[in-house]
Amino acid sequence: IPYLSIGLFGWLLCVLAAKFMFAVPIHGSLWILFFCSVLYLLVAVGIGLFISSATKNQFIASQLALISSLLPAMMLSGFLFDLRNVPPFVRMVGQALPATYFMDVTKTLFLAGNIWPLIIKNSLVLMAYALLFLFLARRKTQNRASPAWGSSAQKR
């Protein structure tokens, strides 16, 4: 919950800066943008929980998170480069990233408005990623904790 709250505060600052400092028009619904941003934050929290439950220490977890999510998301999501101008293999890798779908829905809502087929498709993909990573994190945490619970129950 704290990470989700911090992410939502950052989202609010970014939307306010886009609107008032840079005069970027918002043609779509702010509520849909908020909903999709919450979905993406749940994906990010799920990835973070999964990585932290799969690694032994904080340094390795932070390095793995940086290499597996931040760098590919910046380079291959359509944030810096248009994915239509990259080789097909790089485009396929970019399409496997949750950030690509969030960037697509964000660009759509800011620049074009409420285009429902794109919004629904991207929201469903983000929802699937969120459920997948939260499930994997829960499963990995249960697997890691179950021997300790089992051993203490057997000692009693």
Side-chain angles (χ1 to χ4, degrees):
I1 292 176
Y3 296 116
L4 191 63
S5 301
I6 291 169
L8 288 175
F9 180 70
W11 173 82
L12 179 65
L13 290 177
C14 288
V15 170
L16 290 174
K19 180 72 176 164
F20 297 111
M21 288 178 61
F22 299 109
V24 176
I26 302 174
H27 293 289
S29 168
L30 266 175
W31 289 108
I32 297 170
L33 182 61
F34 176 77
F35 173 74
C36 292
S37 299
V38 168
L39 283 176
Y40 184 66
L41 286 171
L42 286 173
V43 171
V45 167
I47 291 171
L49 287 171
F50 177 68
I51 289 172
S52 66
S53 66
T55 56
K56 301 264 186 223
N57 63 41
Q58 184 179 4
F59 178 75
I60 293 172
S62 66
Q63 293 301 309
L64 191 58
L66 184 70
I67 291 170
S68 67
S69 60
L70 181 66
L71 292 176
M74 292 294 291
M75 301 298 288
L76 302 174
S77 69
F79 181 73
L80 293 177
F81 307 110
D82 188 8
L83 290 180
R84 294 175 292 188
N85 296 330
V86 298
F89 176 74
V90 175
R91 190 177 314 126
M92 285 179 12
V93 171
Q95 291 298 320
L97 300 173
T100 302
Y101 300 96
F102 180 64
M103 287 303 304
D104 196 25
V105 76
T106 301
K107 287 186 220 175
T108 300
L109 289 170
F110 266 92
L111 302 175
N114 297 337
I115 300 176
W116 290 105
L118 285 173
I119 293 169
I120 291 170
K121 178 193 84 141
N122 292 326
S123 297
L124 289 175
V125 171
L126 287 173
M127 200 175 304
Y129 271 117
L131 291 172
L132 172 72
F133 284 115
L134 290 171
F135 171 77
L136 290 174
R138 179 177 167 89
R139 180 103 180 210
K140 187 69 174 170
T141 304
Q142 285 178 338
N143 287 346
R144 207 170 178 190
S146 57
W149 289 345
S151 63
S152 66
Q154 292 170 354
K155 290 179 184 177
R156 292 183 190 170

